[in-house]
Amino acid sequence: MIHQHLEEADNEPIGWLNGPLLMDEEYLKSILTVSDEIKKRADVLVVIGIGGSYLGAKAVQEALSPYFKHHEKGIDVIYVGFNLSGAYMNQLIESLYDKEFYINVISKSGSTMESSLAFRVLRQYAEERYKEEAKNRIIVTTDPENSLLKVIAENNGYRKFDIPSNVGGRYSLLTSVGLLPIAVAGINICELLEGAKKAAIDLKDSSPEKNEAYRYAVIRHALYTKGYRIELLASFEPALTSIHEWWKQLFGESEGKNKKGLFPASVNYSTDLHSLGQFVQDGSPLLFETFLHFKEISDDYYIPYKTLNDDYLNFLSNRTFNEINSISKQGTVLAHAEGGVPIIQIEVDRLDAFHVGYVIYFFMKACAMSAYLLDVYPFDQPGVEAYKKKITQLLIEESIIH
Ligand code: PA5
């Protein structure tokens, strides 16, 4: 019944559900054209956004880029507008002084305070640096109808990408919101979309036996019903840190309502095995663990053989770090299971654009189903509005006194 509601609710913001299957070729081409122009003419793309307007792009970029330099087919993509730190803003502006840059401001509502303030600053900086040409270097991604940013873009002649009206912020990664910055970072967005398309086809079945996203949703719901209140997403590859952040926002904002929902938390192993791992193994039994594991990671390094085996590690020589990492994952699963922690394992073949696209879609569909299983509406965030009202009220009062 929920499946039918999800698939057929035309008046709900579920454009993302068939988005990858119905992707308009012209829309995709226009994203690629602008991305090529930015890569040719800039050293840096500054993405302005908060919540669903930046987390997905950052997550995919970091998952698929080298650790110590940017992707050879892309340029640097940096993010701002997701905090109110003056130091962050000042240092970001300073870092741009000897670089050519473009701006992509992303906001569905077009009036979120954090990103609007950052846009005000960066727009002024771009106008000072590039004069008339600044308008060619500012790309706006926003709602096609109701958005102040849309009006600003039209009045100033900025280029604009629409966020489909029937796709909400945290479900918008596979629209221009995520696709433009990800393409500029040098990642193949066509492969990303192919993976999502495959997931959209594979995960159409109504039965959890055949639909892995629903199976995941049903298992985590069963654990919630048993009294668990925290889901800990665990991975063994540091590149996935921002995928965890994206996942936390997706599930946290979709489910945490009406005093219900699992609190989404995350750990990066091995790092956190020497920190939170103690609590997971042995602390209050509040949580269950979901391991997100990519079986094949293209880059690797061999442990060398040493004639003088003074560190006694020759038994590991000629094995690779990734092999040891995988065994370390198996050992952690066994230890935590013995410690009484329920474990869910999500195994993905390879860390590449196709499989990341698949995983993104998998989590979005699982999330919508999970929220409905809790009898919670997945596509709004009334709690976020509450803090916004308080801040605005305080800022207005302070300005009057100032
Ligand atoms: O998922 C959501 O809808 C939110 O997290 C938004 O993405 C976030 O609040 C930013 O909103 P906007 O894109 O309107 O600036």
Side-chain angles (χ1 to χ4, degrees), residues 47-59 79-80 82 106 177:
V47 173
I48 303 173
I50 191 165
S53 288
Y54 92 105
L55 279 164
K58 188 167 186 283
Y79 298 86
V80 65
F82 57 93
I106 308 173
V177 170

Side-chain angles (χ1 to χ4, degrees), residues 31-46 75-77 100-104 136-139 159 161 180-181 184-185:
I31 291 173
L32 288 167
T33 306
V34 173
S35 149
D36 285 345
E37 174 190 322
I38 298 174
K39 286 191 279 184
K40 251 186 232 133
R41 301 196 58 214
D43 307 309
V44 183
L45 171 66
V46 184
I75 59 165
D76 273 347
V77 178
E100 301 299 331
F101 68 94
Y102 267 58
I103 295 169
N104 181 199
N136 298 325
R137 290 180 170 259
I138 295 174
I139 318 288
R159 274 173 289 175
F161 283 106
L180 179 62
V184 174

Side-chain angles (χ1 to χ4, degrees), residues 39 69 94 105 140 175 196 211 213 221 276 306 313 319 386:
K39 286 191 279 184
K69 54 179 182 177
E94 277 176 6
V105 55
V140 170
T175 70
N211 184 327
H221 183 69
L276 292 173
K306 227 173 165 317
L313 289 174
R319 305 205 75 159

Side-chain angles (χ1 to χ4, degrees), residues 43-290:
D43 307 309
V44 183
L45 171 66
V46 184
V47 173
I48 303 173
I50 191 165
S53 288
Y54 92 105
L55 279 164
K58 188 167 186 283
V60 174
Q61 182 196 343
E62 287 178 17
L64 297 172
S65 298
Y67 281 109
F68 298 107
K69 54 179 182 177
H70 62 70
H71 203 290
E72 62 189 16
K73 292 191 181 135
I75 59 165
D76 273 347
V77 178
I78 59 173
Y79 298 86
V80 65
F82 57 93
N83 61 46
L84 290 167
S85 160
Y88 188 95
M89 178 56 83
N90 193 37
Q91 289 170 34
L92 181 127
I93 296 282
E94 277 176 6
S95 77
L96 292 176
Y97 92 98
D98 58 348
K99 303 210 172 83
E100 301 299 331
F101 68 94
Y102 267 58
I103 295 169
N104 181 199
V105 55
I106 308 173
S107 174
K108 169 105 172 148
S109 63
S111 53
T112 302
M113 189 179 62
E114 288 86 343
S115 44
S116 299
L117 283 175
F119 184 44
R120 171 183 264 243
V121 171
L122 277 146
R123 183 152 66 125
Q124 181 160 319
Y125 180 67
E127 282 162 359
E128 281 162 18
R129 278 270 302 267
Y130 294 113
K131 313 286 183 254
E132 255 303 288
E133 209 235 316
K135 71 171 196 291
N136 298 325
R137 290 180 170 259
I138 295 174
I139 318 288
V140 170
T141 306
T142 192
D143 191 83
E145 302 296 337
N146 308 310
S147 157
L148 177 60
L149 201 48
K150 169 189 171 257
V151 177
I152 294 175
E154 284 168 359
N155 289 346
N156 290 276
Y158 304 147
R159 274 173 289 175
K160 200 164 64 59
F161 283 106
D162 290 343
I163 307 174
S165 298
N166 59 355
V167 178
R170 58 191 171 278
Y171 294 84
S172 66
L173 200 170
L174 299 167
T175 70
S176 52
V177 170
L179 295 177
L180 179 62
I182 292 169
V184 174
I187 289 152
N188 188 330
I189 57 171
C190 298
E191 279 175 21
L192 187 82
L193 285 168
E194 278 307 309
K197 219 186 264 184
K198 172 98 170 62
I201 295 164
D202 288 355
L203 305 174
K204 269 217 177 294
D205 207 283
S206 62
S207 127
E209 277 99 61
K210 294 191 190 140
N211 184 327
E212 291 185 326
Y214 287 174
R215 200 177 320 146
Y216 168 53
V218 166
I219 295 171
R220 62 195 296 288
H221 183 69
L223 289 164
Y224 177 78
T225 324
K226 274 191 164 178
Y228 291 96
R229 287 295 174 264
I230 299 171
E231 178 177 12
L232 197 57
L233 187 67
S235 303
F236 276 75
E237 189 62 40
L240 301 177
T241 305
S242 289
I243 294 269
H244 292 176
E245 297 306 312
W246 169 81
W247 172 89
K248 283 191 228 175
Q249 192 234 356
L250 177 67
F251 280 84
E253 271 194 359
S254 298
E255 282 196 322
K257 289 162 207 170
N258 310 332
K259 310 291 173 218
K260 295 188 206 173
L262 283 161
F263 183 82
S266 67
V267 280
N268 296 302
Y269 294 150
S270 291
T271 312
D272 286 326
L273 286 175
H274 297 260
S275 131
L276 292 173
Q278 169 62 38
F279 190 101
V280 178
Q281 181 76 42
D282 222 9
S284 309
L286 304 165
L287 54 88
F288 68 89
E289 235 174 347
T290 298

